[in-house]
Amino acid sequence: MKAGVLALQGAFREHREILSTLGAETVDVRTPEQLAAIDLLVIPGGESTTMQHLLDSAGLREPLAAAIADGLAVLGTCAGLIVLAHEVLDGRADQVPLDAIDIVARRNAYGRQRDSFEADLDVSGLPGGTFRGVFIRAPAIETVGGAVEVLAEHNGRPVFAREGRVWVSAFHPELAGDFRVHERFLQEVA
Ligand code: GLN
């Protein structure tokens, strides 16, 4: 299993460390050549407008969309969720997401940086009790399409979901000191 982490911007190092700890061979992805050599991809948190800009300037948008359509497994966290969404609300006018999962995301839906928070989440199918969700200027999942499975909610709103091999979390599983979300993703897409 060769696990790539999109390393254009944001919190990619933490994801790589966890994936390595879990036994995956890991690689930073910054070019179409690196993208072509991986079995799964994590798109980290960061700043979604900047990340989308860098995707375009690196020539990664088209190959990434094609790879996902071809079955590449992807986990997008926070800004990564926004990049993968079908539609983005409160985004910048020129912000075009990849439309890889049938969700509508609202940027910064929980407020500003100082409104960042943590919450214990019941994640469906995750053994060992609740998972500590770290939400940092997090997006909300406003609506999900019929093929999307919601894996966790917070206050009645979805915060973790998947459609086929595309998984998204509004929180930062790489900051919980708990590897179970990555572990489950690896197990299920392997
Ligand atoms: N607010 C950021 C954005 O809109 C996402 C925050 C994060 O990834 N921690 O891109």
Side-chain angles (χ1 to χ4, degrees):
M1 250 301 136
K2 198 161 174 185
V5 181
L6 188 68
L8 300 172
Q9 191 264 337
F12 51 88
R13 283 180 202 87
E14 293 82 353
H15 284 288
R16 232 190 116 164
E17 276 172 28
I18 294 173
L19 293 166
S20 298
T21 302
L22 292 171
E25 184 192 344
T26 64
V27 62
D28 286 348
V29 172
R30 295 192 180 87
T31 66
E33 293 70 30
Q34 290 163 336
L35 178 70
I38 57 172
D39 301 305
L40 62 93
L41 180 69
V42 174
I43 304 183
E47 213 289 317
S48 59
T49 59
T50 308
M51 209 181 290
Q52 288 182 343
H53 242 73
L54 294 170
L55 266 183
D56 288 328
S57 55
L60 276 168
R61 174 183 288 270
E62 302 299 323
L64 177 54
I68 296 171
D70 229 36
L72 178 71
V74 190
L75 169 65
T77 65
C78 204
L81 173 154
I82 298 170
V83 169
L84 289 166
H86 165 66
E87 188 185 344
V88 178
L89 306 177
D90 296 341
R92 270 196 356 206
D94 61 349
Q95 187 163 7
V96 182
L98 288 171
D99 192 13
I101 180 168
D102 191 9
I103 61 167
V104 176
R106 185 179 297 280
R107 285 184 69 212
N108 303 328
Y110 295 94
R112 305 171 66 88
Q113 193 77 22
R114 64 166 190 276
D115 301 313
S116 296
F117 64 99
E118 297 187 11
D120 288 326
L121 306 172
D122 276 312
V123 178
S124 127
L126 208 67
T130 56
F131 191 91
R132 191 74 174 159
V134 179
F135 294 81
I136 303 171
R137 284 230 301 158
I141 300 175
E142 294 270 324
T143 62
V144 301
V148 175
E149 181 188 357
V150 174
L151 297 169
E153 292 184 342
H154 174 63
N155 287 345
R157 270 175 155 175
V159 292
F160 189 25
R162 68 175 170 189
E163 180 179 357
R165 293 166 67 75
V166 179
W167 297 44
V168 290
S169 70
F171 55 94
H172 284 262
E174 80 284 10
L175 298 181
D178 179 340
F179 303 164
R180 287 177 295 153
V181 163
H182 291 79
E183 193 172 24
R184 171 133 187 253
F185 175 68
L186 285 178
Q187 282 167 353
E188 296 222 8
V189 304

